């Protein structure tokens, strides 16, 4: 599930794992379309690499 939200300006994206083990990605809608695409790919890479299983701190917001 990907949502585009008005996040704080310095935040590019956030990925949150819900109680069912699904990942919800939030991308800052203030970014340009190109930056949104990059931020989304960045978040998807974390999920593919299973980064969140090894480092819970990665669940923190991605700052630009
Ligand atoms: Zn990251």
């Amino acid at each position: 599930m990907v949502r585009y939200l008005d996040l704080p300006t310095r935040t590019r994206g956030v990925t949150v794992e819900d109680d069912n083990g699904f990942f919800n990605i939030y991308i800052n809608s203030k970014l340009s379309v190109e930056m949104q695409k990059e931020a989304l790919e960045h978040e998807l890479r974390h999920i593919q690499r299973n980064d969140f299983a090894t480092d819970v701190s990665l669940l923190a917001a991605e700052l630009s």
Side-chain angles (χ1 to χ4, degrees), residues 15-60:
T15 299
V16 180
E17 186 177 6
D18 69 19
D19 293 340
N20 300 313
F22 290 107
F23 291 103
N24 296 293
I25 302 174
Y26 302 94
I27 302 296
N28 194 342
S29 58
K30 285 201 199 94
L31 299 174
S32 68
V33 172
E34 197 56 40
M35 296 264 297
Q36 287 180 10
K37 225 186 289 175
E38 276 178 30
L40 176 57
E41 282 167 14
H42 180 100
E43 298 305 316
L44 289 172
R45 223 172 296 138
H46 277 310
I47 294 172
Q48 281 167 2
R49 293 196 308 218
N50 209 19
D51 287 344
F52 301 115
T54 52
D55 187 356
V56 176
S57 66
L58 280 168
L59 290 171

